[in-house]
């Protein structure tokens, strides 16, 4: 059987990993594109044994880049979440961790030229319309991965990638509070449904009989919790105007608890059918916004900062993540921008192969 080779750069972006493609090297039609990504990643097997996925939701993500035709942006970033086992592709969400690698990957692909010791790149997240300014280390005009920045769940240190997110309120639903309420109750559990960078259903850990400080492994071994959570997520998704979200990874789910290690608040984040081993960049923005919003389910769990910008430190399953939130508090909460620092590293490049019976290699198909 002949195969179709597709150029790619294999990157770790933040705490996620996956192939970064030039959008022009892939099929234009989305159904065919989904089949190509399923084959490339190896979806359909728990180890992704017939593809380059890593057997976890954080390692079956795909970034597709192109020069932007938007007046503001330099690069368009189109994201796909490929399922590990179910041969499904979700084009609705975006991913902030994978976005951490977009700037370096764009330079690797020749889509952006470095501009000195650091290079600012304006990125448009195609899936949600968010605008992100990324600052990438390019010492002496050369892309640099070595540095002293450490992030939780990634060994060692690397060069920082500074991200400033704008235009992320209502990214999927058009509203900060898609249900119109600061709190809703589904199946007896009170939640805040919020849409900042990622639509998330946020609850209190104690309402599930949990401390909020459980490990990801302990939570994944608790099927009763996941059954209750999924029932709530499905009902909340409908109430948020997202329709039937049975097969969609959005809205995500999170719960909160008082911090234990000097942070602002503790949280666990779900992808949604298993526990995130650390924290999503997009989810972090939404959870930080919830923590800063009076009247949300975060009430009583933190000393809420009143001055902007506020540095919100989220304690997650493997450490902490800091979100610098520029906001306005006028009878509520208005997000202006959110900043985070991540790292990225090129792992490999070359061609990934898919059967030609899936796609013959003509991008207009």
């Amino acid at each position: 059987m002949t195969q179709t080779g597709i150029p790619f750069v294999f990157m770790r972006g933040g705490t996620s990993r996956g192939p970064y493609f030039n959008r022009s090297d892939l099929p234009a039609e989305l159904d065919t594109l989904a089949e190509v990504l399923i084959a490339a990643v190896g979806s359909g097997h728990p180890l992704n044994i017939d593809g380059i996925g890593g057997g976890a939701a954080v390692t079956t993500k795909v970034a597709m880049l192109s020069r932007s035709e938007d007046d503001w942006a330099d690069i368009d970033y189109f994201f796909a979440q490929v399922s590990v086992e179910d041969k499904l592709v979700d084009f609705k969400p975006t991913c902030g961790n994978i976005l951490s690698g977009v700037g370096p990957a764009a330079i690797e692909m020749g889509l952006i030229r470095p501009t000195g010791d650091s290079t600012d790149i304006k990125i448009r997240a195609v899936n949600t319309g968010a605008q992100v300014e990324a600052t990438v280390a390019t010492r002496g005009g050369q892309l640099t991965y070595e540095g002293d920045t450490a992030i939780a769940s990634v060994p060692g240190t690397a060069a920082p990638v500074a991200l400033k997110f704008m235009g992320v309120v209502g990214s999927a639903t058009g509203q900060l509070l898609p249900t119109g309420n600061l709190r809703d109750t589904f199946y007896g559990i009170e939640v805040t449904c919020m849409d900042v960078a990622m639509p998330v259903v946020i609850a209190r850990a104690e309402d599930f009989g949990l401390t909020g400080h459980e490990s990801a492994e302990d939570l994944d071994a608790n099927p009763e919790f996941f059954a209750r959570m999924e029932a709530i997520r499905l009902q909340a998704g409908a109430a948020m105007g997202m329709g039937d979200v049975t097969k969609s990874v959005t809205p995500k789910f999170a719960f909160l608890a008082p911090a234990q290690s000097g942070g602002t608040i503790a949280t666990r984040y779900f992808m949604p059918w298993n526990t995130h081993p650390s924290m999503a960049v997009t989810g972090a923005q939404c959870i930080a916004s919830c923590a800063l919003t009076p009247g949300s389910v975060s009430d009583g769990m933190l000393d809420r900062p009143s001055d902007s910008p506020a540095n919100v430190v989220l304690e997650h399953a493997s450490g902490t993540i800091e979100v610098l939130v520029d906001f306005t508090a006028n009878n509520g909460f208005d997000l202006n921008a959110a900043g985070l620092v991540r790292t990225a590293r090129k792992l490999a490049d070359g061609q990934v192969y898919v059967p030609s019976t899936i796609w013959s290699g003509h991008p207009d198909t």
Side-chain angles (χ1 to χ4, degrees):
M1 179 191 300
T2 59
Q3 297 197 87
T4 300
I6 309 168
F8 79 114
V9 179
F10 200 48
M11 301 278 297
R12 174 187 61 79
T15 57
S16 296
R17 191 189 76 196
Y20 290 62
F21 295 104
N22 189 318
R23 182 68 180 93
S24 64
D25 290 331
L26 293 165
E29 197 270 322
L30 289 185
D31 287 343
T32 306
L33 175 62
E35 291 298 317
V36 167
L37 299 184
I38 287 166
V41 167
S43 177
H45 186 278
L47 298 178
N48 302 138
I49 201 70
D50 200 36
I52 61 173
V58 294
T59 59
T60 55
K61 300 184 176 190
V62 177
M64 295 161 281
L65 313 184
S66 57
R67 289 192 178 93
S68 182
E69 295 182 0
D70 183 89
D71 290 339
W72 178 85
D74 302 311
I75 293 293
D76 278 353
Y77 156 53
F78 184 35
F79 172 73
Q81 177 67 67
V82 183
S83 68
V84 175
E85 296 189 61
D86 299 328
K87 294 189 175 182
L88 297 173
V89 179
D90 198 341
F91 294 114
K92 293 179 183 177
T94 191
C95 175
N97 274 302
I98 287 292
L99 192 150
S100 307
V102 167
I107 294 172
E108 293 278 5
M109 293 178 186
L111 298 174
I112 292 289
R113 290 190 176 186
T115 57
D117 287 340
S118 66
T119 300
D120 295 329
I121 303 170
K122 294 180 177 179
I123 301 167
R124 182 176 75 101
V126 173
N127 308 64
T128 64
Q131 296 177 329
V132 184
E133 291 183 352
T135 300
V136 178
T138 51
R139 296 172 201 144
Q142 297 294 316
L143 182 60
T144 304
Y145 293 109
E146 293 77 16
D148 299 324
T149 299
I151 61 173
S153 294
V154 176
T157 62
V161 178
L163 302 173
K164 182 179 180 181
F165 290 80
M166 301 161 287
V168 293
V169 174
S171 60
T173 66
Q175 301 177 74
L176 173 69
L177 300 169
T179 69
N181 305 314
L182 273 166
R183 301 192 193 196
D184 294 280
T185 300
F186 302 110
Y187 294 105
I189 298 292
E190 198 169 44
V191 300
T192 292
C193 299
M194 186 169 281
D195 184 2
V196 175
M198 178 70 69
V200 185
V201 183
I202 304 170
R204 293 180 291 260
E206 64 179 6
D207 291 346
F208 290 94
L210 300 168
T211 68
H213 299 278
E214 290 82 2
S215 69
E217 292 77 14
D218 285 345
L219 289 168
D220 285 343
N222 187 341
E224 293 82 7
F225 162 70
F226 272 89
R228 292 184 70 192
M229 181 193 73
E230 182 66 0
I232 294 165
R233 191 185 76 89
L234 295 181
Q235 197 170 76
M240 295 167 78
M242 300 178 71
D244 181 2
V245 298
T246 304
K247 295 184 178 180
S248 177
V249 299
T250 57
K252 295 296 201 304
F253 197 93
F255 60 57
L256 304 176
Q260 283 188 339
S261 304
T264 307
I265 199 164
T267 183
R268 296 294 183 267
Y269 185 72
F270 303 90
M271 299 188 288
W273 303 297
N274 53 8
T275 311
H276 199 294
S278 56
M279 174 55 61
V281 168
T282 47
Q285 294 172 67
C286 193
I287 293 166
S289 298
C290 181
L292 293 172
T293 302
S296 73
V297 292
S298 69
D299 278 1
M301 294 189 192
L302 73 159
D303 293 326
R304 185 171 284 128
S306 58
D307 295 331
S308 176
N311 190 42
V312 179
V313 181
L314 303 177
E315 297 179 1
H316 57 70
S318 60
T320 62
I321 187 171
E322 298 184 19
V323 187
L324 186 65
V325 183
D326 182 347
F327 68 99
T328 305
N330 292 324
N331 299 318
F333 173 85
D334 293 314
L335 177 71
N336 301 319
L340 299 96
V341 175
R342 301 271 85 191
T343 65
R345 189 169 78 88
K346 178 182 176 181
L347 305 177
D349 62 19
Q351 290 191 321
V352 62
Y353 289 87
V354 301
S356 58
T357 51
I358 292 176
W359 185 54
S360 62
H362 297 290
D364 58 343
T365 59

